[in-house]
Amino acid sequence: MTHITNYIDGKQVEPISGAYLDNVDPSTGQVYSHVPDSDERDVELAVQAAQRAFDSWSATPAAERSQIMLAIADLIEKNLDSLARAECIDNGKPLTLARSVDIPRAVTNFRYFATAILHTHSEAHFTDNLAINYTLRQPRGVAGCISPWNLPLYLFTWKVAPAIATGNTVVAKPSELTPMTTYMFGELCTEAGLPPGVLNIVHGLGNKVGASIVAHPDVPTISFTGGTVTGSAIAATAAPMFKKLSLECGGKNPNIIFADADMEDAIETSTRAAFANQGEICLCGSRIFVEREAYDSFVEALVEKAKQLKVGDPLEPDTNQGALVSKAHLAKVSSYVELAQKEGGTILCGGTPPEALPERCRDGFFLEPTVITGLDTACRTNQEEIFGPVTTIMPFDNEQQVIEYANSTKYGLSGTIFTQNLERAHRVAAQVQSGTIWINSWMLRDLRIPFGGMKQSGIGREGGDETLRFFTEPKNVCIKMRSI
Ligand code: NAD
């Protein structure tokens, strides 16, 4: 059974405590590897290694950093099959999804930031012929990068790549539920020639390893993706230390369907938006609002589509939906299905594990795609993030009403609008409170675009120049041109 190790100063090392946590394959419910139960002593070693590496790495020419990062990207691509399989076993997601989305996106993250740093520019301002001001952007030191379990290598590399591209060194913590691909990734970094200490990976629990990274006085930058409650705890620790923070947190995203929409497309895309990755994507459209005249036919068609999704062994090529990430998470999602019923909702499909599962998946954490109607927008089921294959559908009567419904939660991560009316699309997009709005699409991503949430979905934006700026400190240098 694999003993995952920490990656500190370019070496795979045991946790100082010698303690390990079980790592469970969610599709079988069985322990299949062990992950270090690290603590603040391991974080201390990692921070020291990152500090030692900083002077040299930050002074390394961008072209050299770029070459190493491109070599890492090539190695991820070369190992796509084994990484995708590891991601599937760690997380429960379909292998086909890990192969087509998670791992290719990790490659793209590295290629994008490896080449972005070759094309950056800085600002200069002439002050009435008295002075020139220019902005010097410098790496900030050791960055703490904390990532969740739903898109493990994808979101890990989305933070680590821009941090090291800009000359920072990193102490990173992947989720304890999905450590395998980041463990493998450390090896690839060594193979690609990344100098020791530039990236350090400490595995373990959030309240031990994650909290120690956030509280460490020599980690001035924290980039976090995860739940809103965790984000809030991180902010409470980091704010008095004036750390620079990026928080990408939860969502309860509205998916608005006007009656004039291309219905075939709206139904197809809404099914994907609700159930892709078992509904475990922060951007999933988990509250669907349909204009009343189209409501009945939409509900019928969506339920039909949901029933067609094959829930089963994530290793099988025709599986659409795999297992939820853990027993505890399945219990949480199932508790919301019960809550929805108590709140007066009707379960039109799903809500239970699939009846037929292959023998090897008998003890796995599966739930059928679940569609719920009959709830009002203010109930807990429609206000709290469920983060599973569960969506509600509600009718609306007019534009103003649906905008109010959409904005009625504390979240503001993303939203989707389906309509053929271009003016309405722009009008509604401007009024829905969310960091991203997709019109007649979902999860189309351009890595140059600022990405992040409004309200309690987070602070800061990741993507393109925003990220390069986040990981660097702008210093104004003012040169006098003549005496006044
Ligand atoms: P989580 O908040 O429980 O954990 C995220 C990471 O933080 C993990 O590595 C965890 O170990 C660590 N952590 C936990 N407690 C910590 C603490 N006190 N201090 C420091 N680190 C700590 O989230 P999760 O369950 O892993 O992921 C699901 C959540 O992530 C959902 O809410 C989802 O919406 C959100 N998410 C957001 C985005 C986005 O871009 N906005 C993307 C993916 C997931």
Side-chain angles (χ1 to χ4, degrees):
M1 198 172 284
T2 308
H3 255 49
I4 290 170
T5 40
N6 290 329
Y7 180 66
I8 298 177
D9 212 9
K11 294 188 258 321
Q12 298 288 354
V13 292
E14 306 263 329
I16 290 175
S17 66
Y20 285 82
L21 305 162
D22 287 341
N23 187 25
V24 174
D25 172 349
S27 68
T28 63
Q30 306 303 314
V31 176
Y32 88 101
S33 67
H34 292 114
V35 58
D37 183 9
S38 310
D39 58 34
E40 72 280 2
R41 293 169 295 171
D42 304 286
V43 170
E44 183 58 43
L45 287 182
V47 173
Q48 285 175 14
Q51 281 182 307
R52 281 195 301 275
F54 179 72
D55 283 352
S56 158
W57 181 247
S58 57
T60 301
E64 261 178 58
R65 294 199 301 268
S66 175
Q67 283 303 321
I68 294 172
M69 291 183 64
L70 289 171
I72 294 173
D74 288 349
L75 283 172
I76 304 174
E77 197 165 50
K78 195 171 147 200
N79 290 278
L80 190 143
D81 282 339
S82 55
L83 285 164
R85 198 177 161 85
E87 194 102 317
C88 161
I89 294 170
D90 244 10
N91 172 275
K93 68 179 64 201
L95 179 59
T96 49
L97 193 69
R99 279 187 61 88
S100 61
V101 175
D102 291 59
I103 309 304
R105 174 59 193 271
V107 175
T108 314
N109 286 343
F110 258 77
R111 287 201 177 129
Y112 177 85
F113 288 108
T115 49
I117 50 167
L118 304 178
H119 306 281
T120 51
H121 62 275
S122 197
E123 308 89 58
H125 299 91
F126 289 88
T127 311
D128 296 333
N129 291 327
L130 289 176
I132 303 170
N133 289 275
Y134 67 87
T135 307
L136 189 62
R137 293 194 177 273
Q138 296 171 306
R140 304 190 80 245
V142 180
C145 297
I146 301 174
S147 51
W149 48 257
N150 63 324
L151 299 161
L153 195 62
Y154 172 138
L155 290 172
F156 180 88
T157 51
W158 182 233
K159 296 181 178 308
V160 167
I164 65 174
T166 43
N168 297 273
T169 53
V170 169
V171 176
K173 191 202 104 55
S175 170
E176 59 275 23
L177 297 176
T178 52
M180 190 58 89
T181 44
T182 50
Y183 165 60
M184 296 163 74
F185 178 74
E187 291 289 291
L188 301 183
C189 289
T190 303
E191 195 180 333
L194 189 71
V198 172
L199 171 65
N200 305 276
I201 306 171
V202 186
H203 295 277
L205 298 170
N207 59 9
K208 283 163 89 173
V209 176
S212 300
I213 294 172
V214 174
H216 200 294
D218 297 323
V219 182
T221 312
I222 301 290
S223 174
F224 165 81
T225 299
T228 291
V229 172
T230 316
S232 162
I234 287 174
T237 305
M241 300 169 85
F242 299 97
K243 296 195 176 203
K244 200 169 181 186
L245 269 186
S246 168
L247 302 174
E248 296 287 346
C249 300
K252 188 74 181 173
N253 311 304
N255 176 5
I256 302 170
I257 321 282
F258 287 97
D260 69 348
D262 172 340
M263 277 302 159
E264 206 174 312
D265 183 32
I267 290 157
E268 184 74 40
T269 309
S270 300
T271 308
R272 216 161 39 82
F275 302 119
N277 205 45
Q278 299 73 242
E280 296 167 332
I281 301 180
C282 54
L283 306 166
C284 275
S286 53
R287 291 181 300 149
I288 305 178
F289 300 104
V290 187
E291 200 165 7
R292 199 171 291 277
E293 59 191 280
Y295 178 78
D296 287 340
S297 57
F298 182 94
V299 170
E300 193 182 327
L302 191 96
V303 168
E304 200 45 48
K305 282 268 178 212
K307 284 181 177 167
Q308 282 166 14
L309 294 175
K310 186 187 162 207
V311 183
D313 189 340
L315 292 170
E316 294 298 327
D318 60 342
T319 293
N320 302 112
Q321 196 185 288
L324 300 200
V325 75
S326 68
K327 193 173 185 175
H329 191 57
L330 173 62
K332 179 192 149 183
V333 174
S334 304
S335 78
Y336 274 102
V337 176
E338 275 172 42
L339 175 70
Q341 286 166 294
K342 285 191 194 127
E343 290 181 321
T346 305
I347 314 293
L348 297 184
C349 65
T352 51
E355 278 169 19
L357 278 170
E359 184 60 19
R360 97 171 188 98
C361 297
R362 213 184 39 208
D363 297 324
F365 315 132
F366 294 87
L367 185 72
E368 288 277 3
T370 306
V371 179
I372 306 171
T373 55
L375 291 172
D376 66 42
T377 57
C379 69
R380 279 184 56 206
T381 308
N382 271 324
Q383 290 292 314
E384 297 173 17
E385 187 185 41
I386 299 174
F387 214 55
V390 178
T391 189
T392 59
I393 315 185
M394 286 148 289
F396 68 88
D397 294 307
N398 58 58
E399 212 175 287
Q400 211 42 49
Q401 185 184 49
V402 78
I403 290 166
E404 277 168 30
Y405 287 169
N407 292 341
S408 69
T409 75
K410 66 180 181 184
Y411 296 106
L413 190 57
S414 71
T416 313
I417 301 167
F418 288 91
T419 179
Q420 297 292 307
N421 179 332
L422 193 58
E423 282 180 27
R424 172 157 60 198
H426 288 297
R427 206 165 50 229
V428 177
Q431 291 180 79
V432 173
Q433 295 162 343
S434 66
T436 299
I437 287 283
W438 280 290
I439 296 171
N440 298 328
S441 61
W442 177 70
M443 226 178 138
L444 262 177
R445 290 280 291 118
D446 180 325
L447 302 198
R448 293 167 300 181
I449 303 297
F451 171 84
M454 291 171 70
K455 304 201 279 188
Q456 291 187 32
S457 287
I459 53 170
R461 292 289 182 274
E462 296 186 348
D465 290 348
E466 297 281 341
T467 321
L468 298 175
R469 283 166 193 256
F470 173 74
F471 282 111
T472 51
E473 191 69 26
K475 179 184 287 179
N476 179 54
V477 181
C478 178
I479 312 164
K480 191 172 82 171
M481 290 167 70
R482 65 175 168 85
S483 300
I484 302 168

